[in-house]
Amino acid sequence: MKSAIYDNPPHSWLRGEFRKIEQNVHDVRSKPPVHVLEYILDGDFPATEARSPSEVYWEHILLRYIGEVSLDIERNYSPDLRLSLIGTGADILVAEGHSGGTLHGVTGIEISARVLNQLLPTTAYTILDTIVRGNDHSGWVTEQWGYFDPVTRIQVRDGIDTFQIAHGRIQTKMINYTVETGNTYAEFRRVVYRSGREDLKTAEARQ
């Protein structure tokens, strides 16, 4: 499916971010596939149902990096999505009158994306590590991520997202993050890179 998702694709920037992700993801089986980057930059997207869990997940990540939230939701999330938020995102939902951090379907992920963008207005995310497991048709992903805005010093040091993916769509997702005010980027890096590896080792051991 050919789709011109933007007139001037940020090729150099996204390739640079892709290389950072490759370096951060230590497990060889979990690294982002280069062909996913290429088809996003070309705007030549495969059929949704033909993709593996790894392809679905990494397409989701790269589309979010370039701010293509609507296309990400359209291609990568099941209409029957079950979504659970923990931490600051859940607190915002309760303050807005929702019963808690549990959401459903496309409306649920749209609400979650709005809250995240409200709290973290740039795309300055850092994928600290990722574990992908499963087969060509179904599997799970655990992602450890962080965020630091040098202007506002807003940061997330404990971002953990878990995905259950089947039939070319994200079926279930759990999101945990705490938004806080940090000090310097150097301190942010020191803390998140120290804690991230242990968090993912624990998550993998529980599967």
Side-chain angles (χ1 to χ4, degrees), residues 29-44:
R29 292 177 292 173
S30 303
K31 287 182 179 291
V34 175
H35 71 271
V36 175
L37 171 67
E38 297 301 336
Y39 75 60
I40 288 175
L41 291 175
D42 291 341
D44 192 10

Side-chain angles (χ1 to χ4, degrees), residues 15-193:
R15 288 188 189 280
E17 293 302 305
F18 185 89
R19 286 192 292 271
K20 293 177 187 176
I21 295 171
E22 279 187 314
Q23 293 170 359
N24 287 349
V25 176
H26 283 199
D27 180 68
V28 173
R29 292 177 292 173
S30 303
K31 287 182 179 291
V34 175
H35 71 271
V36 175
L37 171 67
E38 297 301 336
Y39 75 60
I40 288 175
L41 291 175
D42 291 341
D44 192 10
F45 290 82
T48 56
E49 65 275 5
R51 300 171 301 160
S52 69
S54 175
E55 290 167 326
V56 173
Y57 167 74
W58 286 113
E59 182 182 311
H60 152 70
I61 291 297
L62 295 175
L63 287 177
R64 288 300 179 101
Y65 264 54
I66 58 176
E68 288 290 339
V69 177
S70 295
L71 185 59
D72 172 40
I73 292 172
E74 175 188 338
R75 285 184 51 80
N76 295 320
Y77 285 90
S78 167
D80 301 318
L81 174 75
R82 294 168 294 174
L83 175 65
S84 178
L85 274 69
I86 303 169
T88 305
D91 294 342
I92 294 294
L93 292 180
V94 171
E96 291 181 347
H98 295 272
S99 59
T102 301
L103 301 168
H104 299 278
V106 171
T107 299
I109 196 62
E110 289 175 342
I111 292 171
S112 172
R114 173 184 58 79
V115 169
L116 187 66
N117 186 66
Q118 173 185 330
L119 293 168
L120 311 176
T122 78
T123 58
Y125 303 101
T126 301
I127 301 298
L128 299 167
D129 207 348
T130 295
I131 294 171
V132 180
R133 292 292 182 268
N135 54 43
D136 289 342
H137 307 289
S138 64
W140 64 269
V141 179
T142 298
E143 164 203 329
Q144 204 263 341
W145 60 276
Y147 177 97
F148 185 84
D149 185 335
V151 177
T152 63
R153 295 190 294 119
I154 292 174
Q155 69 178 21
V156 171
R157 297 183 296 174
D158 63 348
I160 293 282
D161 291 0
T162 301
F163 306 75
Q164 185 262 325
I165 301 172
H167 312 298
R169 302 274 184 171
I170 298 166
Q171 307 290 333
T172 305
K173 183 175 181 180
M174 292 175 284
I175 305 172
N176 174 86
Y177 60 92
T178 304
V179 179
E180 57 189 2
T181 301
N183 292 311
T184 65
Y185 181 66
E187 179 183 345
F188 164 79
R189 281 185 56 88
R190 178 179 58 81
V191 172
V192 297
Y193 279 98

